[in-house]
Amino acid sequence: MKDLITDIDIVKEKDREVCETVKVSENEHTGKERKLYIESYGCQMNFSDSEIVTSILKDNGFDTTSEFDQADVVLLNTCSIREKAEQTVRNRLKQFNRVKEDKPGMIIGVLGCMAERLKSKLLEEEKIVDLVVGPDAYRDLPSLVSKVDDGQKAVNTFLSREETYADINPVRLNSNGVTAFISIMRGCDNMCSFCVVPFTRGRERSRDPYSIVREARLLFEQGFREVTLLGQNVDSYKWSSEENNKARLEKTEVNEVVNFANLLEMVARVHPDLRVRFSTSHPKDITDEVLYTMKKYENICKYIHLPAQSGNTRVLELMNRTYSREWYINRVDAIRSILGQECGISSDMITGFCTETEEEHQDTLSLMDYVKYDFSYMFYYSERPGTLAAKKYEDDIPLDVKKRRLSEVISRQQQHSLERNKLNLGKTQKVLIEGFSKRSDEQLQGRNSANKVVVFPRENYRKGQYVHVKIEDCTPATLIGTVVD
Ligand code: SAH
Ligand code: SF4
Ligand code: F3S
């Protein structure tokens, strides 16, 4: 039996820094001995990893539960990207520990980026967990759990150069049965000075393209109609049969090299009714070849998440993003000229990075005016221990200034989102239905190719269907219309 999706949105109203989504496991009773509760924070890659972890533990005697106080093993898949993300996890661990006082056999484990960053500190100094497992060590989970069963503490934070979990079939959590994530690579070789990811996720490695296509095909056969290919920097996806001979299943004589554009094409060919999305594109690496591949296939969605971080070249240099404002603008121009105005573009922005002046902040606002993003994730800078910026630069912008700049960026984005949404009024767009709208069971919702949420009356339509919707109204976040076919 499966419960409905449990999806808690914590919107931090006061400083509106970020909308964090927490995902928890669902109830599934198949008669297994023990119960697993897994709660995930952070990026889509982390959510995707939780599906791998669940698959591994389901094969080793676990059913899942959506109630942590019912679980034998409670796992938090954590994020270290900003200080607040870690604070949220610490508070949650304290809550779990209070429940554990009455349930001494319960095992509490930390997975993911915070596990990797803090390693055994969480066990030894803070004594709030029994199990610490980094992102490349999930195959070891069953034996680590047994170790804890035997009364020992267990840690594995080994970072691998090869692990891609290519052969593991993820258990889809919080699934609408229509859209799914596929991890295509792991780690990151960029060294953006503000970012903790290269330290928590290790070296970049690309997954066997044939295993990716197989996963996409299987999802399609199961009724899924959209896959999102995930990586920290998908444009640097690169796989060669020679280097990966061991992992390769279908061997050929010649060395085959697959880049991201090639991979996109391979997945797009699985079926014309399987939509393909991807995230995240890096402005330094996104190629015209990728843009032309997107143009060639109707089922590759016309939407690009292209984080700028800042609109000022000096700040971008300090951030070690390895592109300038001009380079970024050139990439946006290429998107517009190859894919047209309709292609959705979104960004991530950081305000108040070390030494950022008021004029440099204005450059971020003017870049936003130039691009007119459909959507952005916006943050104020949060210094992370061990990063290049923490070592080299002083975190010298006062918090109130960071927050004021952030609120300016947020309100500019609100204007642009509304402006961009208004361009859709009167148009008819193909929408993949994902389920009921958040507000009412009389309305359905899905997304158009550009990733915008479209809401329309339910009539007799069902999730998983494609419909054409005429857009009649909009808010900054949603398009509203009626089905015309
Ligand atoms: N790989 C992606 C980003 C992954 S992290 C990319 O290169 O764009 C997601 C976002 O978190 C980043 O784009 C950045 O905007 C934000 N972020 C990362 N480190 C941060 C920090 N120290 N403070 C504030 N925001 C940060
Ligand atoms: Fe972090 Fe930069 Fe890698 Fe993105 S590309 S994960 S921001 S280091
Ligand atoms: Fe957070 Fe790790 Fe993702 S730090 S954003 S969970 S890669």
Side-chain angles (χ1 to χ4, degrees):
M1 186 191 78
K2 288 215 164 194
D3 278 4
L4 287 173
I5 294 172
T6 323
D7 197 349
I8 314 156
D9 281 327
I10 302 177
V11 183
K12 303 229 169 71
E13 283 296 332
K14 226 167 82 222
D15 47 32
R16 298 195 55 210
E17 181 217 7
V18 56
C19 171
E20 278 181 28
T21 306
V22 184
K23 295 204 170 172
V24 307
S25 48
E26 299 154 64
N27 279 330
E28 197 177 38
H29 309 293
T30 62
K32 303 252 175 73
E33 241 167 76
R34 301 174 89 184
K35 284 204 179 113
L36 163 72
Y37 172 88
I38 180 163
E39 187 172 297
S40 319
Y41 294 80
C43 60
Q44 293 167 337
M45 300 219 59
N46 240 24
F47 298 145
S48 163
D49 280 4
S50 290
E51 299 185 336
I52 289 167
V53 166
T54 305
S55 170
I56 293 171
L57 287 174
K58 275 188 77 166
D59 286 345
N60 284 275
F62 283 88
D63 273 336
T64 50
T65 171
S66 60
E67 309 292 330
F68 71 79
D69 51 0
Q70 307 289 314
D72 302 294
V73 173
V74 172
L75 298 177
L76 270 185
N77 196 358
T78 60
C79 174
S80 287
I81 202 82
R82 286 166 290 275
E83 199 181 333
K84 269 203 175 145
E86 291 201 354
Q87 202 46 53
T88 312
V89 167
R90 279 178 206 280
N91 292 339
R92 200 70 178 131
L93 283 172
K94 283 183 196 143
Q95 262 179 305
F96 292 161
N97 273 281
R98 281 197 290 276
V99 172
K100 191 178 161 149
E101 283 168 17
D102 299 326
K103 256 189 109 180
M106 183 168 140
I107 295 176
I108 301 177
V110 171
L111 315 178
C113 292
M114 213 171 145
E116 194 60 51
R117 197 178 83 72
L118 297 169
K119 302 195 166 65
S120 52
K121 254 193 197 165
L122 284 165
L123 283 173
E124 286 152 13
E125 289 168 26
E126 308 189 24
K127 298 196 169 42
I128 42 177
V129 296
D130 309 296
L131 183 72
V132 177
V133 190
D136 286 345
Y138 297 145
R139 284 181 203 269
D140 203 17
L141 261 166
S143 71
L144 292 167
V145 169
S146 313
K147 215 168 154 189
V148 181
D149 286 338
D150 294 342
Q152 302 170 54
K153 302 276 179 191
V155 187
N156 187 346
T157 52
F158 172 74
L159 282 176
S160 157
R161 279 175 172 256
E162 283 107 34
E163 181 63 273
T164 59
Y165 300 109
D167 57 318
I168 292 181
N169 201 7
V171 170
R172 306 292 161 185
L173 297 171
N174 310 113
S175 175
N176 56 14
V178 180
T179 60
F181 296 125
I182 302 183
S183 282
I184 62 163
M185 56 209 291
R186 299 182 70 82
C188 182
D189 278 354
N190 295 314
M191 272 288 174
C192 302
S193 62
F194 52 79
C195 185
V196 79
V197 172
F199 304 95
T200 61
R201 294 257 162 188
R203 298 305 298 269
E204 182 185 284
R205 64 220 99 118
S206 297
R207 177 179 164 189
D208 182 338
Y210 295 94
S211 78
I212 295 169
V213 169
R214 255 199 312 276
E215 191 172 330
R217 200 174 290 135
L218 187 68
L219 284 164
F220 185 78
E221 284 161 8
Q222 291 168 344
F224 286 82
R225 290 294 174 264
E226 182 181 297
V227 293
T228 303
L229 309 180
L230 293 180
Q232 292 297 352
N233 176 2
V234 290
D235 301 289
S236 65
Y237 177 91
K238 195 168 176 213
W239 186 89
S240 104
S241 58
E242 215 162 74
E243 279 168 36
N244 294 276
N245 224 1
K246 275 184 298 188
R248 180 86 196 273
L249 300 173
E250 286 126 75
K251 295 192 193 332
T252 54
E253 295 302 312
V254 279
N255 181 26
E256 185 191 4
V257 177
V258 179
N259 67 15
F260 182 58
N262 308 142
L263 177 73
L264 259 185
E265 181 147 24
M266 288 164 75
V267 181
R269 284 181 158 168
V270 165
H271 198 285
D273 283 340
L274 183 70
R275 273 185 168 180
V276 187
R277 298 186 185 276
F278 54 89
S279 186
T280 298
S281 302
H282 196 297
K284 85 171 154 61
D285 294 320
I286 189 167
T287 59
D288 289 356
E289 189 191 0
V290 165
L291 302 178
Y292 284 114
T293 309
M294 290 174 74
K295 189 183 164 113
K296 187 170 160 196
Y297 290 90
E298 189 270 339
N299 59 330
I300 305 182
C301 291
K302 307 300 178 276
Y303 165 67
I304 299 174
H305 183 52
L306 193 72
Q309 314 296 358
S310 163
N312 175 270
T313 297
R314 188 191 74 92
V315 175
L316 287 168
E317 256 168 47
L318 290 184
M319 288 177 163
N320 203 22
R321 287 290 286 181
T322 68
Y323 54 84
S324 61
R325 177 188 173 95
E326 289 66 38
W327 174 277
Y328 187 89
I329 287 178
N330 166 285
R331 293 292 77 208
V332 171
D333 290 346
I335 294 169
R336 293 275 175 247
S337 77
I338 296 168
L339 295 167
Q341 286 301 320
E342 316 238 298
C343 181
I345 305 181
S346 60
S347 188
D348 293 347
M349 291 295 187
I350 299 177
T351 66
F353 187 64
C354 314
T355 74
E356 183 191 65
T357 65
E358 220 43 57
E359 291 72 40
E360 289 166 340
H361 164 60
Q362 289 300 324
D363 284 345
T364 295
L365 293 170
S366 74
L367 180 71
M368 294 174 76
D369 289 337
Y370 182 85
V371 182
K372 297 244 163 76
Y373 294 108
D374 295 86
F375 179 80
S376 290
Y377 295 94
M378 298 155 282
F379 317 97
Y380 63 77
Y381 174 57
S382 161
E383 186 179 81
R384 306 310 294 131
T387 56
L388 287 181
K391 285 185 197 151
K392 276 169 62 182
Y393 314 122
E394 193 191 339
D395 179 14
D396 59 347
I397 308 299
L399 188 60
D400 59 333
V401 175
K402 287 178 179 173
K403 286 190 175 176
R404 195 253 306 144
R405 290 181 189 168
L406 176 62
S407 68
E408 289 172 14
V409 167
I410 291 173
S411 63
R412 191 66 58 96
Q413 183 55 54
Q414 286 281 101
Q415 289 168 21
H416 292 159
S417 295
L418 184 60
E419 226 176 281
R420 287 282 299 167
N421 277 0
K422 280 186 175 163
L423 292 177
N424 297 284
L425 295 179
K427 294 194 176 147
T428 297
Q429 297 178 333
K430 187 171 170 185
V431 173
L432 172 61
I433 305 177
E434 292 177 16
F436 294 121
S437 88
K438 283 194 178 136
R439 297 235 173 104
S440 150
D441 283 1
E442 290 310 307
Q443 306 273 319
L444 290 172
Q445 77 170 44
R447 274 173 300 150
N448 68 8
S449 177
N451 206 34
K452 288 181 190 293
V453 172
V454 182
V455 173
F456 51 91
R458 169 178 158 185
E459 298 176 59
N460 289 321
Y461 301 104
R462 293 181 319 275
K463 70 175 181 178
Q465 269 185 313
Y466 287 100
V467 284
H468 287 91
V469 179
K470 183 160 187 207
I471 309 302
E472 287 145 353
D473 200 359
C474 69
T475 69
T478 315
L479 302 177
I480 301 149
T482 33
V483 177
V484 292
D485 58 5

